[in-house]
Amino acid sequence: MRLTIFWQRMADHFGAAYADSFARDHVMAGLGGRTVHEALDAGWSAKEVWQVVCSVMDVPPEKR
């Protein structure tokens, strides 16, 4: 998954204004105690991060 698609999906699910805030502030155990930004910076793929976000935030299957 490309980062552009990842950020489009984040904006679609959380709203454009909240997606970045969520990505900077929400620490997830599934990301090793990291935020979305920290996980991406640490080398996690966008697909891996999106899968964790979907699991943690109960993203509906049609948006995954």
Side-chain angles (χ1 to χ4, degrees), residues 7-53:
W7 288 113
Q8 286 173 350
R9 289 183 181 186
M10 288 284 289
D12 181 51
H13 183 70
F14 294 106
Y18 183 63
D20 188 60
S21 177
F22 173 86
R24 290 189 188 286
D25 299 332
H26 193 86
V27 175
M28 292 178 267
L31 296 176
R34 297 177 178 91
T35 66
V36 167
H37 282 289
E38 291 169 339
L40 292 170
D41 289 344
W44 287 56
S45 74
K47 182 178 181 178
E48 292 171 315
V49 174
W50 180 243
Q51 289 172 340
V52 172
V53 170

